[in-house]
Amino acid sequence: MKRAAPQIRDVAAAAGVSHQTVSRVLNDSPNVRPDTRQQVLDAMERLQYRPNRAARALGLGRAKAVTVVTANTTLYGYAGVLQGVEEAGRLLGLTVGIRVVASDAAADVRNAVEYVGDPSCGNVVVVAFDPAGSGVLRAMPDGLPMVAATEAGGLPGVDRRMIFLDERQAAADATRHLLGLGHRTVHHVAIPSEVRDSARQGGWRAALESAGAAVPEVVPAGWDLRSAHRAGQALAADRAVTAILCGNDDTALAVRRALHEAGRDVPGDVSIVGFDDVPGAAFWTPALTTVRMDFAGLGRACVAALADDGDPVRLDPPSLVIRESTAPPRSR
Amino acid sequence: MKRAAPQIRDVAAAAGVSHQTVSRVLNDSPNVRPDTRQQVLDAMERLQYRPNRAARALGLGRAKAVTVVTANTTLYGYAGVLQGVEEAGRLLGLTVGIRVVASDAAADVRNAVEYVGDPSCGNVVVVAFDPAGSGVLRAMPDGLPMVAATEAGGLPGVDRRMIFLDERQAAADATRHLLGLGHRTVHHVAIPSEVRDSARQGGWRAALESAGAAVPEVVPAGWDLRSAHRAGQALAADRAVTAILCGNDDTALAVRRALHEAGRDVPGDVSIVGFDDVPGAAFWTPALTTVRMDFAGLGRACVAALADDGDPVRLDPPSLVIRESTAPPRSR
DNA sequence: CAACATCGAGCACGCCCATGC
DNA sequence: AGCATGGGCGTGCTCGATGTT
């Protein structure tokens, strides 16, 4: 009985050339005559040849792969980046892997870094949206081919290639939109951030200041809906609050509920804006005004940067999508 | 200059044993004296040795890995399975990979199958919730270590190991809950299914029939919110409709919006129930009554089945979570 | 002398690269 | 310019050699 999978030497024999020539065809080296190349290609087709990726990785010293290191795979932004990386990697014929960092505890970070140190992981994309991710980013050894997807502006003090979406402008736009509607000021419920002054917060503050509006204290929330709900309750209790810029759409969901529980209508009594534009946002009741973020594009851009094919992917800038959750304040 | 990464032979030299003994320690073979083992372990620690996964895969003929083949990575159920597989795989020290099947077109399916045929992919988990996934499942060559996550009941006529969540009972519970509230019958907006009579639909129909209630025609919808919205519009136009069992929470979102647009209140005029219990469901306004589905558990179970450690993971059965979107019909 | 525990030598895995023709 | 040959990548496995009971 023959070997299950044909290998490069079988193809060589079938094509009447050396295995090295087959290798050249595989890695499309220029030094192969067209007709020779065709013979090899035919032989591959005939034998149903598929190169062994493990062997290739071993020989090359690194796999033709991309693995994403992330603290989460289901939250909208994270899942979007993952989707973009997978898509771009697949189109380039790369193996795509995934590794989650359970937390920012030293042991978890170390394990993740060791994991991607293995050559079979290929290039790595670190999603550094949180302490766990940025911990990995900082601990990453030099010389390892990688790029990080970070918050707007990148991580200060970290000397790594970083790519990001910049929603500062859109945050300002959203704030101005609310102000333009007649709200005296806009409150902000912030999601966790790795930087002092996030783009969302920065754009919001700048818009408020340049309009001469008061800058309320930021209300912090976590990634979980529960904490966002508490933040919403705090704001709902204050009848002076008529407009809230929420850190993301999930936050907006919980804030809206808290408002409802306090008997305050959206957008009748309070206007709310989110960030992300999750697929369901347009189908909310009322439909959510939010800032569209192209996380999949960010993921694709990371892979493109790693492939350094010269052409850097243009990222769609985050943009405000006005729907029904924002309206003029109720006149009294 | 020395080689960057120490290898098994360096460890052997440092420990004063043969490379084979080191290999035995690595694969914890019983035939190594405790003190010898300890010496090897110390040498590994000293040299910061990390086994090369590509080399191991090459020698073994298959990588210690698990890769999930799926048509999607962001929809709730798919992302949940992915999360479960990643978590379980990571805990077992496996490399975890991911490959999406772009569509159920023959070429896409073939490419995906070829991809996972490579030994470096290790064991395979196929998410067969749709035509693309089940296409891959059917095309999978025998002998490849795999298991599929499918809809309840598995795919008829496919001779593969399949694991699934069975929400038939919960679907019946949801229907009875609605009937018990006083609704004369319950309508159903179905999401795509690979089987004739899905568990959701089957449980719904059985509950209706055993209660002697009329069984309305099923309204089909796709995975996208837009089609669910159209389905909702059709139902919203019929004033006789007072209760709707939606294929999933996303569907419920769009149906609820359509109801609202038609001036029908939830749950005042119409009660709705979803499936999934997405994180935001509890924070809807009104909070959504839905059936909790443990997709991450399904993913973990798939990995456990592949590892065949004897202990099959017990799956949490889907269960109805009653919240605010269901109420007695308005008396007239 | 048999049976077992422990360890080592050599080769195979499938590909890529450097060298020489 | 184009092709053939040999060595190396880092493991795990088969087989056999020791020493021990």
Side-chain angles (χ1 to χ4, degrees), chain A residues 13 36 61 69 81 103 117 131 165 179 215 233 254 277 295 305 325:
Chain A
T36 304
V69 180
V81 172
S103 79
L165 256 17
L179 257 18
V215 180
Q233 287 175 316
D277 193 19
F295 287 106
S325 66

Side-chain angles (χ1 to χ4, degrees), chain B residues 94-184:
Chain B
L94 305 177
T95 297
V96 4
I98 176 180
R99 164 76 197 202
V100 351
V101 215
S103 78
D104 63 343
D108 286 332
V109 168
R110 184 165 10 92
N111 284 339
V113 171
E114 274 178 14
Y115 180 93
V116 295
D118 186 277
S120 73
C121 287
N123 293 339
V124 178
V125 172
V126 177
V127 180
F129 291 168
D130 48 56
S134 61
V136 168
L137 183 53
R138 282 175 227 277
M140 209 63 110
D142 295 323
L144 208 147
M146 62 147 287
V147 63
T150 69
E151 285 182 61
L155 258 50
V158 177
D159 185 26
R160 286 287 189 289
R161 212 161 11 151
M162 300 185 279
I163 305 184
F164 46 79
L165 256 18
D166 190 351
E167 70 270 34
R168 189 186 161 91
Q169 180 64 46
D173 289 346
T175 306
R176 269 192 296 271
H177 161 62
L178 258 4
L179 256 18
L181 248 20
H183 296 276
R184 315 189 119 214

Side-chain angles (χ1 to χ4, degrees), chain A residues 5 16 25 28 32 42 47 122 156 158 173 177 204 208 221 229 266 290 299:
Chain A
V25 170
D28 39 44
V32 180
D42 288 346
L47 300 182
V158 177
D173 289 346
H177 162 62
W204 162 76
L208 246 28
H229 185 246
V266 173
T290 185

Side-chain angles (χ1 to χ4, degrees), chain A:
Chain A
M1 180 177 150
K2 300 195 122 190
R3 198 192 294 91
Q7 52 180 263
I8 205 176
R9 306 191 118 90
D10 300 325
V11 174
V17 299
S18 76
H19 72 93
Q20 176 52 19
T21 299
V22 177
S23 174
R24 270 189 270 267
V25 170
L26 238 28
N27 301 284
D28 39 44
S29 145
N31 295 349
V32 180
R33 233 179 330 177
D35 56 328
T36 304
R37 177 185 304 276
Q38 194 52 53
Q39 280 176 20
V40 172
L41 256 20
D42 288 346
M44 285 182 180
E45 175 59 30
R46 231 176 310 137
L47 300 182
Q48 288 282 301
Y49 169 77
R50 302 287 169 253
N52 179 308
R53 289 198 288 265
R56 179 187 297 229
L58 188 57
L60 242 30
R62 199 137 250 275
K64 290 191 180 302
V66 56
T67 113
V68 4
V69 180
T70 179
N72 186 289
T73 61
T74 60
L75 288 172
Y76 185 73
Y78 297 84
V81 172
L82 175 57
Q83 179 187 13
V85 170
E86 192 285 333
E87 182 188 331
R90 171 160 41 87
L91 262 28
L92 288 175
L94 304 176
T95 297
V96 2
I98 177 180
R99 164 77 198 201
V100 350
V101 215
S103 79
D104 63 344
D108 286 332
V109 168
R110 183 165 11 92
N111 284 339
V113 171
E114 273 177 15
Y115 180 93
V116 295
D118 187 277
S120 72
C121 286
N123 293 337
V124 359
V125 173
V126 177
V127 180
F129 291 168
D130 48 54
S134 62
V136 168
L137 184 52
R138 283 175 228 277
M140 209 63 112
D142 295 322
L144 208 147
M146 61 147 288
V147 63
T150 68
E151 285 183 62
L155 259 49
V158 177
D159 186 25
R160 286 286 189 290
R161 213 163 7 153
M162 300 184 278
I163 305 183
F164 47 79
L165 256 17
D166 190 349
E167 69 271 34
R168 189 186 162 91
Q169 181 64 46
D173 289 346
T175 306
R176 268 193 296 271
H177 162 62
L178 258 4
L179 257 18
L181 247 21
H183 296 275
R184 312 187 123 215
T185 188
V186 177
H187 287 69
H188 180 48
V189 175
I191 53 174
S193 168
E194 289 302 285
V195 299
R196 189 93 42 99
D197 201 49
S198 72
R200 297 176 193 201
Q201 204 165 310
W204 162 76
R205 187 184 312 272
L208 246 28
E209 287 173 349
S210 81
V215 180
E217 191 136 349
V218 170
V219 183
W223 291 109
D224 60 308
L225 286 303
R226 212 171 284 255
S227 73
H229 185 246
R230 280 193 296 270
Q233 287 175 316
L235 254 16
D238 181 354
R239 312 302 288 191
V241 174
T242 66
I244 306 175
L245 181 62
C246 302
N248 66 24
D249 292 353
D250 274 356
T251 306
L253 180 73
V255 166
R256 187 266 211 263
R257 171 148 187 107
L259 253 9
H260 175 79
E261 286 167 353
R264 312 198 66 192
D265 184 53
V266 173
D269 299 308
V270 183
S271 287
I272 63 174
V273 176
F275 277 90
D276 282 355
D277 193 19
V278 299
F283 292 89
W284 274 35
T285 307
L288 184 67
T289 291
T290 185
V291 173
R292 176 170 300 150
M293 304 281 291
D294 184 17
F295 287 106
L298 177 55
R300 285 191 296 267
C302 287
V303 174
L306 253 9
D308 50 31
D309 268 7
D311 37 52
V313 173
R314 264 264 308 289
L315 287 176
D316 266 7
S319 65
L320 180 65
V321 181
I322 299 175
R323 291 201 270 247
E324 307 166 348
S325 66
T326 46
R330 205 186 283 288
S331 53
R332 339 163 200 200

